[in-house]
Each structure stands twice: as structure tokens, then as C-alpha cells.
Amino acid sequence: MKLSTTLCTLIFSTPVRFLPLVALGGAVAHLSRTICINEFSIGIIGASFVGSIIISVMFIFIAPRLRVPRPVFTVASIVPIIPGKYAYLTLLSVIKMHDPDEDRSALIEAFFENGIITTSVLLAIGMGIAMPALLFYRNRPVV
């Protein structure tokens, strides 16, 4: 089981009986992203998009059977594919900019490079979670 996914689920007050499913979702998301990066040479942005689409479609079919809203599963399951390394490097370059001994041009370049990757991955994850729901639920009544 993915520990990060399970702990994040507990923060969201998800019932304990759904923890194995959320952990499975986190494992599937991380595995699908890793396979896309290593086997198909897709970049991290595209691979995160594919991983979040797989999670969203998976829980579109599972959540109604359990009579639970889909975001209970999808929000916690995407935690393993959030780009922590790039977000950390973005903030680290901002902190190091205040040091007079550091090369500011390299730090500004690192800030923008890592910041753009972080933002792009987060947008790809959000779109990957939302798009399948828009396609599957488009004939549902609003009220």
C-alpha cells in the first residue's frame, strides 16, 4: 500500500473501510506514471496526465457502486504523482537568491524551469481528473 496516499486519506476524513481502495488508486497512479516515463519515454507532464486519467476513469466506475462521491478516492489517489521534487527545487532557488555568494542568473533560471514544470504537472493532473468526468457525466441532469 502507498503510505503517502493512505495518510493523506486520513487527513481528508475518509472512512477507514475505503483505505485499501485509495491506496490501490495511489499505487495505480504511481505505477502508470512510472511506466509511461520509463517504457514509453513520455515526459513527466504527459505521464502525470495519463496517470490521473486512469485514476479518474477507474473511480468513475467504482465510486457509484460503493455509493461514495468520486473525489473521496481521486483526490487522495493523486498524491503520489504530485511533483514534490520540482516544487522543492523551485522554493530552494528562491531561498538561495538571498545569499550574496550564489549565482543569481542560474537561480532565476532554475526557479522558472522548475516552477513551469511544477505548474504544468499540477495542471495536467487537474485536467486528467476532470476530463473523464466531463465525458462520462455530460448527460446527467444538473439538479
Side-chain angles (χ1 to χ4, degrees):
M1 286 180 29
K2 294 296 284 183
L3 183 62
S4 60
T5 306
T6 308
L7 292 176
C8 185
T9 304
L10 292 174
I11 292 172
F12 294 136
S13 300
T14 303
V16 177
R17 63 186 175 154
F18 298 130
L19 290 181
L21 277 174
V22 175
L24 175 69
V28 168
H30 192 267
L31 180 68
S32 60
R33 186 186 74 166
T34 304
I35 288 173
C36 286
I37 290 172
N38 293 336
E39 299 298 323
F40 299 116
S41 299
I42 299 175
I44 190 169
I45 299 166
S48 298
F49 180 68
V50 170
S52 60
I53 283 179
I54 290 171
I55 287 303
S56 185
V57 170
M58 183 173 108
F59 287 118
I60 281 174
F61 293 110
I62 293 174
R65 290 194 171 109
L66 299 173
R67 299 175 196 258
V68 178
R70 186 180 55 89
V72 168
F73 299 112
T74 55
V75 171
S77 293
I78 62 165
V79 169
I81 60 175
I82 292 176
K85 173 189 170 189
Y86 295 105
Y88 172 76
L89 291 175
T90 302
L91 294 175
L92 186 64
S93 62
V94 170
I95 292 169
K96 284 185 174 182
M97 279 185 209
H98 296 291
D99 187 7
D101 297 333
E102 294 289 334
D103 180 23
R104 289 187 188 225
S105 61
L107 290 173
I108 291 172
E109 181 182 339
F111 169 75
F112 281 109
E113 180 181 344
N114 293 318
I116 289 171
I117 291 173
T118 301
T119 306
S120 300
V121 170
L122 291 175
L123 286 172
I125 290 170
M127 287 175 28
I129 291 291
M131 286 176 60
L134 293 173
L135 292 174
F136 280 95
Y137 299 144
R138 68 178 168 191
N139 294 328
R140 288 175 107 180
V142 176
V143 181

